Amino acid sequence: MPRRREVPKREILPDAIYSSQLVTKFINVLMRDGKKATAQRIFYGAMEQIEERTSDYPRKVFKRAVENVKPGVEVKSRRVGGSTYQVPVEVRPNRRLALSIRWLIIAAKARGEKEMRRRLAGELMDAADNRGGAMKKKEDTHRMAEANKAFSHYRW
């Protein structure tokens, strides 16, 4: 947290194949140990898998998957008078995107397929159809917020 001024957001350049900033963000989150070429190979391989398995355009499937997984509300811990409450709060737009990308990648890693590109392709197709691990995570988050709606007056 800087004390003096707000740190400016860095501009993210669109990727070479789809000319999309969303794809670049996804690849950057997928990347491990600075190996961007490996992350790109995994992502573009997953897009080829999606194109083979479905008749739909892969970028459309990817965008629909990210949109479906974005959460609307989440719970944050708030300490009031010695007890901690899970207070439901709305999620900021940039955090919504970050959470959806993170959940998609975590759910893809947890799948049983052999290669990461197949796992990612399967998870993206499932999320586009409102199924899969990432959608389950979103539903759990919404359910938790719904259950703790009584504490929403503690919102700050």
Side-chain angles (χ1 to χ4, degrees):
M1 268 331 257
R3 290 174 183 261
R4 293 179 185 266
R5 60 182 163 78
E6 188 133 343
V7 178
K9 285 275 184 196
R10 291 195 180 115
E11 185 183 336
I12 295 176
L13 299 173
D15 76 304
I17 295 178
Y18 295 108
S19 301
S20 169
Q21 288 183 333
L22 179 62
V23 170
T24 304
K25 280 186 182 185
F26 195 89
I27 288 171
N28 287 344
V29 176
L30 185 63
M31 176 174 55
R32 290 279 167 244
D33 299 325
K35 298 190 174 193
K36 193 163 196 165
T38 305
Q40 287 173 333
R41 198 165 41 250
I42 289 169
F43 180 79
Y44 294 130
M47 291 307 221
E48 287 171 13
Q49 291 275 324
I50 290 171
E51 199 167 22
E52 287 171 12
R53 290 193 211 169
T54 64
S55 58
D56 216 356
Y57 188 60
R59 184 171 173 212
K60 205 162 102 176
V61 172
F62 170 67
K63 194 167 181 145
R64 194 174 34 197
V66 171
E67 286 298 319
N68 286 350
V69 176
K70 282 183 179 178
V73 288
E74 66 179 344
V75 291
K76 285 195 172 184
S77 296
R78 175 97 161 104
R79 191 160 170 91
V80 178
S83 32
T84 306
Y85 298 105
Q86 296 287 322
V87 180
V89 293
E90 270 188 49
V91 186
R92 296 185 324 271
N94 56 353
R95 180 162 167 77
R96 289 179 74 189
L97 179 64
L99 285 173
S100 68
I101 290 172
R102 191 180 316 147
W103 291 347
L104 281 166
I105 291 171
I106 290 169
K109 285 180 180 177
R111 287 174 74 96
E113 284 98 339
K114 195 168 182 118
E115 295 177 316
M116 184 60 189
R117 66 181 66 166
R118 288 187 184 159
R119 293 178 191 172
L120 186 58
E123 188 59 40
L124 288 173
M125 287 189 299
D126 282 353
D129 294 334
N130 290 320
R131 299 177 299 181
M135 282 303 297
K136 184 180 181 322
K137 178 74 172 166
K138 175 192 172 182
E139 289 162 5
D140 290 348
T141 305
H142 279 243
R143 203 174 300 118
M144 180 80 89
E146 185 69 30
N148 290 302
K149 198 190 287 185
F151 305 121
S152 60
H153 63 281
Y154 287 126
R155 197 176 299 160
W156 60 99

